[in-house]
Amino acid sequence: MKKAKYPVSLLVMFIVGLTTCRMDMGLGPSVDLEGPSLSISSPANRDFVNSVFDITGICSDNVNVTRVVAEDIDTRLIYPAEITGGTWRIHIDMPTDKFSPGSVEKTFRITAYDAAGNTSNLSVAQITLRVDLTPPFLEELAI
């Protein structure tokens, strides 16, 4: 009686194919559904600052933080951050000609986004600062 060579070789090829070929099953690469976290390092809430100042902090995400922005709550102006590793820095130069001399309270909402555009409650922080808009002056000294 002759033994069938083809069915056994087909079975061996099928087993080898299953064990050596990578077969991705499911929905493909994982989907990022988590928002980043963000905190403000400086200045402290309600601090006095000059008209030109930086707001700094740290951020993290399960994938990558791609954007951090500050929004001036009153004017809706958006200030982008520079992100380096897990830290961010937002440089703000207040337009002093739009305010009378003295100090003004400004509130900024800082938001972090990841590559998928995700945010969460941990992605948002708010800070209120007292911005000193008084121009420097020199008094004449009597000698």
Side-chain angles (χ1 to χ4, degrees), residues 5-119:
K5 293 182 182 179
Y6 295 111
V8 172
S9 62
L10 287 176
L11 180 63
V12 169
M13 285 176 32
F14 178 73
I15 292 172
V16 168
L18 283 178
T19 58
T20 59
C21 292
R22 183 172 173 227
M23 296 171 58
D24 290 329
M25 298 288 218
L27 299 174
S30 64
V31 178
D32 182 13
L33 299 174
E34 234 177 273
S37 63
L38 170 134
S39 64
I40 299 171
S41 302
S42 71
N45 196 42
R46 310 216 30 99
D47 264 0
F48 278 95
V49 293
N50 292 321
S51 61
V52 178
F53 59 94
D54 290 341
I55 303 174
T56 62
I58 57 173
C59 55
S60 63
D61 186 55
N62 62 326
V63 178
N64 190 21
V65 177
T66 57
R67 187 168 63 115
V68 175
V69 295
E71 178 185 8
D72 182 329
I73 299 300
D74 297 326
T75 64
R76 301 289 186 218
L77 286 173
I78 302 293
Y79 299 91
E82 294 175 10
I83 303 170
T84 306
T87 64
W88 54 269
R89 180 180 73 88
I90 299 171
H91 181 75
I92 298 177
D93 189 347
M94 297 291 300
T96 55
D97 59 335
K98 296 188 186 218
F99 302 97
S100 56
S103 66
V104 62
E105 278 197 356
K106 296 301 282 179
T107 300
F108 298 92
R109 180 181 300 119
I110 290 85
T111 307
Y113 300 87
D114 65 12
N118 296 322
T119 63

